Amino acid sequence: MQIAFIGLGHMGGPMAVNLHKAGHSVKAFDLSQDALAKAKAEGLQIAASAQDAVQGAEAVISMLPASQHVEGLFLGKDGQGGLLQHIARGTLVIDSSTIAAATSQKVAKAAEAAGVAFIDAPVSGGTGGAIAGTLTFMVGGSEADLERARPLLEKMGANIFHAGSVGAGQTAKICNNMLLGILMIGTSEAMALGVANGLDPKVLAEIMRRSSGGNWALEKYNPYPGVHENAPASKGYAGGFGTDLMLKDLGLAQENAMAMKASTPLGGLARALYAAHSLGGHGGEDFSSVIKMVQKTE
């Protein structure tokens, strides 16, 4: 297929590369020249603009930072000049950004009016999953549109879930990331406490991983340096999933909780802690760097 891929960050870049390796013709665009250079080195076609990327595309995939970026891309300013005006009728749009469900629904409504199919398909699995092609997709949209997207999603992920209508994928994602943020803070506290008492971090991590405290962070993404060789913690907390991105997702969860009158006290506390961590100058570091807030400094 001829695919337009817009957004080539830590997640989008590897996802686009996997589609290219699967034999699809991928024309990519990003505002970052470094991201474009990396994509070109991997053999992807480079578009001069987002509008250029979608010319002749059978599917458009976007992976952008936040709601305002997705809305701005597809709808433009005040509903004018958006990318939907340049996408051919019948084209399938797959937005894998993590944004507000209401934004996905707004863009989907405009897409329908333009004769364009739209699904929201946020992902879980981190940069490692993006590179390995083992992401989990949480899809909101019609069953028919999901089936159109499935051959592409299968080249980027190992698990595909149909969460419901448009916006449901986003809701599932913010619930997942709220839990992830809470778990990472709890894992960080436990690791820091054990190490402060003289325990070997690798031994402690293995004990908890195989015990009732076991979770994904202990399995694959330990926040303590040196426990997992390929985790961001062992690379100076570079790459991975940024603190500010986690803060954004926790904010989306809290906005949704207020709208639904749902009680999420731990989610609210996690958001406050990540906000403080970001203000402390760690916004660009991987979210597992939150362990720095609870580590002894002596």
Side-chain angles (χ1 to χ4, degrees), residues 5 46 58 68 71 74 77 85 118 121 151 181 208-209 237-238 245 262 284 291-293:
F5 204 111
I46 302 303
E58 300 167 77
Q68 64 266 30
E71 185 170 341
F74 289 107
K77 186 176 181 181
Q85 298 177 12
F118 180 95
M208 294 193 295
R209 185 181 76 85
Y237 299 100
L245 290 176
I291 194 173
K292 294 180 179 181
M293 295 187 73

Side-chain angles (χ1 to χ4, degrees), residues 257-268:
M258 286 189 288
M260 295 294 105
K261 295 183 172 61
S263 178
T264 56
L266 289 180

Side-chain angles (χ1 to χ4, degrees), residues 18-165:
N18 283 334
L19 289 170
H20 168 69
K21 289 180 178 178
H24 295 290
S25 179
V26 182
K27 196 170 186 180
F29 179 72
D30 194 285
L31 293 175
S32 166
Q33 293 301 311
D34 287 342
L36 290 176
K38 290 179 181 178
K40 186 175 182 179
E42 292 285 355
L44 277 67
Q45 302 175 56
I46 302 303
S49 64
Q51 291 83 355
D52 177 41
V54 303
Q55 296 305 307
E58 300 167 77
V60 177
I61 303 175
S62 51
M63 176 57 99
L64 302 175
S67 295
Q68 64 266 30
H69 304 110
V70 174
E71 185 170 341
L73 173 69
F74 289 107
L75 304 186
K77 186 176 181 181
D78 299 324
Q80 300 295 319
L83 194 62
L84 285 176
Q85 298 177 12
H86 301 272
I87 298 174
R89 295 181 67 87
T91 302
L92 172 65
V93 172
I94 304 169
D95 179 43
S96 287
S97 316
T98 298
I99 59 175
T103 301
S104 291
Q105 292 161 351
K106 182 177 181 179
V107 175
K109 184 177 181 180
E112 182 180 14
V116 172
F118 180 95
I119 63 172
D120 58 295
V123 302
S124 179
T127 53
I131 294 169
T134 57
L135 294 169
T136 292
F137 284 92
M138 309 162 211
V139 180
S142 72
E143 186 69 43
D145 289 339
L146 169 56
E147 291 310 308
R148 286 183 64 189
R150 189 178 295 276
L152 301 180
L153 301 182
E154 288 177 340
K155 301 304 180 185
M156 299 181 287
N159 304 290
I160 301 168
F161 293 100
H162 189 195
S165 58

Side-chain angles (χ1 to χ4, degrees), residues 159-292:
N159 304 290
I160 301 168
F161 293 100
H162 189 195
S165 58
V166 171
Q170 300 295 349
T171 301
K173 177 62 188 291
I174 62 171
C175 290
N176 178 79
N177 275 24
M178 181 178 72
L179 179 58
L180 175 60
I182 294 168
L183 286 174
M184 185 57 78
I185 292 170
T187 299
S188 295
E189 288 187 356
M191 289 295 300
L193 176 61
V195 171
N197 278 276
L199 295 183
D200 183 311
K202 289 187 177 181
V203 174
L204 174 60
E206 186 65 8
I207 291 171
M208 294 193 295
R209 185 181 76 85
R210 294 180 178 269
S211 303
S212 55
N215 62 67
W216 182 81
L218 287 169
E219 285 280 348
K220 300 180 178 181
Y221 216 88
N222 200 289
Y224 200 90
V227 175
H228 289 150
E229 181 181 352
N230 293 319
S234 299
K235 301 176 181 179
Y237 299 100
F241 185 65
T243 290
D244 282 345
L245 290 176
M246 174 56 78
L247 178 59
K248 178 206 72 171
D249 290 358
L250 290 168
L252 289 173
Q254 289 309 294
E255 290 171 10
N256 185 273
M258 286 189 288
M260 295 294 105
K261 295 183 172 61
S263 178
T264 56
L266 289 180
L269 178 58
R271 184 188 180 282
L273 290 171
Y274 272 103
H277 189 49
S278 177
L279 287 172
H282 306 285
E285 296 176 354
D286 181 75
F287 79 108
S288 61
S289 65
V290 73
I291 194 173
K292 294 180 179 181

